[in-house]
Structure formats: structure tokens, C-alpha cells
Amino acid sequence: MPTRTIVVRVDEQRAELVTDRMWQWGVQAVSEVGFGDGFVELATSVGNDEDAIERAVATLDPQWSVEIRQVDDTVAQVAPRYLAPTWYAPGMVSVPASLLPFTRDDPDVVVTVIDPGSAFGLGDHATTRTSMALLAGLLHGEDRMEPAERLLDVGCGTGALAILAAQLGVPTIRAIDIADAAITATRTNMALNDVDGRIEVDTTSVADLTGTYDIVMANILAPVLVSIAADLKRVLRPGGSLVISGILAERHDHVLAALDPLASVRSLEHDGWISIVLR
């Protein structure tokens, strides 16, 4: 089935602004193509849902040239021979759905199966694997915290973090994302991992949430983390843990400043990205 792609053509000076706007939709990737005439095309997908596309396009500046194109899924698919399981912590692995069935020698290994859907990744990106590792540590590892009864995943994407929390026994889990494609992907992956009914997932804004959570996961980019910092602190219970990701290892001081007085207690770096636990 073809995937609908949002393509924006602007002059090179505005490319970074358009890219930042697209990242805020919760997408996994943004492509950039230059034409040597001072203009570039930025492209990404929020899935095929018409309402999701309209909401995304409505956030773009009216003077930008916007086009919706159909892209054959086979162009974007990664052949299984180029994929591999991602071991992000001892005894814990995320596996692309296209590699199923997955054989494991140890029955105690925690396997999280990820189908990326139309707009998201496979769980192998540095930000996802380090977030999953830190979450595993909070729930079952050396950083284990008590209690961990309620978890919130902000910008859930494929739902990998929320699903791992369900697999590790967190009883109450909420997953939210602004992209309808993320909600679809998360529900698909809930079924693949036999955690249907364990996660409440929808497009509610974090600003509209009430109550507090023991663990809040936010694997989203730095500009968004800064813009929602007050709400992230508001929904985190006193003594709880906030895990942030999607930030560069060499440039994230402004994000930590926005989240003050929360302080870093642990971090993991991979491929130039960093994930941080704050309390």
C-alpha cells in the first residue's frame, strides 16, 4: 500500500525551520534533497490518516510550498537481510517484526517485537535503545525504584517503551503521541507483544493530562522537550524518574536547564545521542 508523504519545498535558509516543525509531529525521520538552485525539499510521513495529515500541514507556514505525494512502501522498506535484533541490555532485545519468528536460547530473555508502521523506526535507533536500557534499569536493574505503579510515555512512536513497561509488569501505563500513525503503530505492536488492554494510548496532549506518574518517558527532540518541560515536571510524582532522550550528547544543557530542579542521576550515550534519568 502506498504511503502518503508530506513534501515541503523552501529555500535553503528555511530548511532547518521546516525540519524542526516536522520533528514536532513525532516522526522518526526527515529526508532532505537539494537541487543546486538554492532550494531544498524536506519530506516525511505521519501515516495515511487524512485527519493526521491535515493537522500536520496546518502547522506549516502558508507561504511554504507543500505537496502530498504517494510513495510505494517497497521503496522505504528495509530488506530483512539488512536487519538484526537490538540487544540493548543483558537478557533484553528488540526485534523487527519482519524477522519473526525469532528463536531465543534462553526462555527468560525479554523480547519486544517492533513493527515500525508507516512513519517510525525499528527500535534500533540510539535514542530508543538507550531509553529502553534505562527503563529496564529502573524497573528490574541496579537503578530499580519503588514503587513503579504508573508510567507515562510521551511521544510514544511505535510504543516500544510503553510495551516494555507492560512486559516488565508496570500495572498502569499511558502512551500519548500527536501523530495518529503512532497510535496505530503502538496498537499493532501491543498485539504483537501480547499486551493488548495493558496500555491506554491516544493523542491527548501532555498539557491536558491530570494526575502524576512514577516514571515518565519522553523520547522526543530537544525543542519539544523544552516546550513541554513544565508539563513533564507537573505530571511526575515527587521522587519519580523522568527519562529524556532524543537529545545530542554534546548539546543538551538547555534541556536540563528547562527541567530544573530535576537533576541527572544516570545517563547512557550511543552514536552521539544521550538518554538521561532525572529526579
Side-chain angles (χ1 to χ4, degrees):
M1 174 180 166
T3 296
R4 301 185 70 189
T5 301
I6 302 171
V7 182
V8 180
R9 180 181 174 89
V10 293
D11 61 80
E12 293 174 344
Q13 288 73 28
R14 290 182 173 83
E16 185 174 354
L17 177 60
V18 176
T19 301
D20 285 346
R21 197 74 56 84
M22 288 178 163
W23 282 124
Q24 292 180 36
W25 299 341
V27 300
Q28 184 69 20
V30 176
S31 69
E32 178 176 335
V33 178
F35 294 92
D37 59 357
F39 285 83
V40 296
E41 283 189 352
L42 294 307
T44 191
S45 174
V46 295
N48 290 338
D49 182 83
E50 189 67 37
D51 290 339
I53 294 171
E54 288 183 3
R55 283 198 297 271
V57 171
T59 68
L60 300 172
D61 292 2
Q63 68 268 28
W64 295 343
S65 173
V66 181
E67 180 183 353
I68 309 299
R69 296 179 186 166
Q70 301 278 1
V71 177
D72 192 326
D73 279 350
T74 58
V75 174
Q77 287 174 352
V78 180
R81 66 180 178 276
Y82 297 117
L83 300 176
T86 299
W87 294 86
Y88 57 88
M92 297 190 173
V93 60
S94 62
V95 179
S98 57
L99 293 185
L100 295 178
F102 175 72
T103 302
R104 50 183 169 179
D105 297 328
D106 184 350
D108 294 327
V109 168
V110 177
V111 179
T112 305
V113 180
I114 300 297
D115 184 329
S118 60
F120 302 95
L122 293 160
D124 58 348
H125 190 272
T127 59
T128 306
R129 66 195 300 172
T130 51
S131 294
M132 293 180 80
L134 290 175
L135 176 58
L138 288 172
L139 295 177
H140 274 224
E142 59 187 28
D143 300 317
R144 185 171 181 174
M145 59 175 293
E146 299 289 353
E149 300 291 323
R150 290 169 53 83
L151 179 140
L152 171 66
D153 184 3
V154 181
C156 59
T158 59
L161 297 171
I163 289 167
L164 175 61
Q167 291 176 312
L168 295 181
V170 177
T172 302
I173 304 169
R174 183 77 180 269
I176 60 174
D177 201 297
I178 62 172
D180 290 279
I183 307 308
T184 300
T186 297
R187 288 174 176 158
T188 296
N189 288 321
M190 287 166 59
L192 287 173
N193 290 278
D194 297 322
V195 294
D196 272 340
R198 298 277 307 281
I199 302 167
E200 183 181 358
V201 54
D202 53 50
T203 56
T204 301
S205 167
V206 66
D208 295 327
L209 294 180
T210 59
T212 59
Y213 295 83
D214 304 308
I215 299 175
V216 177
M217 309 295 299
N219 180 15
I220 42 186
L221 292 178
V224 183
L225 287 171
V226 171
S227 70
I228 65 173
D231 283 311
L232 291 176
K233 291 184 283 187
R234 177 179 59 81
V235 299
L236 182 68
R237 74 157 172 84
S241 293
L242 168 65
V243 181
I244 59 171
S245 192
I247 51 180
L248 297 173
E250 296 183 353
R251 191 176 64 188
H252 61 270
D253 288 349
H254 62 302
V255 179
L256 296 182
L259 290 166
D260 184 75
L262 297 180
S264 171
V265 296
R266 181 168 166 76
S267 64
L268 282 176
E269 293 185 31
H270 188 72
D271 286 348
W273 299 88
I274 189 169
S275 296
I276 306 173
V277 180
L278 301 109
R279 292 197 184 120

